[in-house]
């Protein structure tokens, strides 16, 4: 029985939703060393430059920065190393087909503990062009402005 219950978010990649159009998300486990887990429990991680790739029928997470554990010694881990992802074989096949089809990449969206186990949410995503990013921002601002107008109209009682 796990000591912890629920989900405890460690880090999110907010930039990913701005730079990429998310197609589908997957939850994957992580193969970590002891000092990496302790560093994550302190809430320290950075996903901004991270990406995932498939090699030899296995999934890996690369360029995710988990800083060294402050109270570790010579057994401390490297901050940016390639970490293995734990996925089902069918999911790995789906991901490899999506990436090999072209234009898609695998990016980490969120790093969290789920019932005491370290998990990462990875997404199959397609990069947005500059005009698509501007259009997304414009749509969000228009929606926000319309909600404000509706709220002010409701307050006035018209």
């Amino acid at each position: 029985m796990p000591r912890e219950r629920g989900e405890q978010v460690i880090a999110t990649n907010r930039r990913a939703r701005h730079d990429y159009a998310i197609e589908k998300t997957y939850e994957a486990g992580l193969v970590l060393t002891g000092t990496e887990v302790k560093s994550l429990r302190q809430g320290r991680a950075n996903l901004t430059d991270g990406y995932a790739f498939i090699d030899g029928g296995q999934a890996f997470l690369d360029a995710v920065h988990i800083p060294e554990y402050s109270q570790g010694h010579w057994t401390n881990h490297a901050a940016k190393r390639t970490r293995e992802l734990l996925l089902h074989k069918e999911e790995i096949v789906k991901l490899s087909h999506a990436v090999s089809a072209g234009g898609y990449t695998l990016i980490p969206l969120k790093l969290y503990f789920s019932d005491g186990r370290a998990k990462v949410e990875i997404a199959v995503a397609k990069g947005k062009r500059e005009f698509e990013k501007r259009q997304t921002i414009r749509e969000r601002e228009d929606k926000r402005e319309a909600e404000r107008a509706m709220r002010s109209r409701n307050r006035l009682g018209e």
Side-chain angles (χ1 to χ4, degrees):
M1 183 172 203
R3 291 181 291 184
E4 301 173 8
R5 288 273 177 218
E7 189 175 289
Q8 176 189 0
V9 177
I10 301 161
T12 56
N13 190 353
R14 295 176 61 200
R15 189 89 183 139
R17 297 202 186 268
H18 176 72
D19 291 340
Y20 296 95
I22 308 299
E23 298 289 324
K24 187 161 173 131
T25 61
Y26 294 90
E27 180 184 63
L30 281 167
V31 177
L32 300 172
T33 63
T35 55
E36 286 175 321
V37 175
K38 289 180 179 188
S39 185
L40 288 178
R41 293 224 182 266
Q42 291 179 339
R44 303 169 62 205
N46 189 354
L47 298 174
T48 52
D49 297 331
Y51 63 95
F53 63 94
I54 310 290
D55 186 32
Q58 291 182 323
F60 296 95
L61 187 65
D62 199 15
V64 170
H65 186 264
I66 299 175
E68 290 184 348
Y69 182 55
S70 59
Q71 296 165 3
H73 46 82
W74 61 271
T75 59
N76 233 337
H77 64 278
K80 279 193 178 185
R81 71 175 187 89
T82 304
R83 296 167 180 91
E84 188 176 349
L85 292 175
L86 302 173
L87 289 163
H88 292 285
K89 200 64 154 174
E90 301 84 35
E91 291 176 328
I92 292 174
V93 169
K94 285 179 187 177
L95 291 172
S96 66
H97 286 308
V99 171
S100 64
Y104 289 100
T105 187
L106 302 174
I107 55 168
L109 296 178
K110 181 169 63 168
L111 187 61
Y112 57 97
F113 283 108
S114 176
D115 293 336
R117 299 179 193 271
K119 304 281 186 182
V120 64
E121 184 177 281
I122 59 172
V124 177
K126 185 172 244 181
K128 286 184 183 177
R129 293 194 211 113
E130 195 63 38
F131 72 90
E132 292 172 328
K133 293 178 190 177
R134 285 194 299 266
Q135 183 178 359
T136 304
I137 292 170
R138 189 177 311 117
E139 287 171 358
R140 186 174 56 228
E141 288 174 354
D142 290 345
K143 183 179 175 186
R144 196 175 294 154
E145 191 175 309
E147 288 174 357
R148 278 191 200 124
M150 293 290 284
R151 256 196 317 262
S152 67
R153 183 177 174 160
N154 288 341
R155 284 186 194 141
L156 295 174
E158 291 180 18

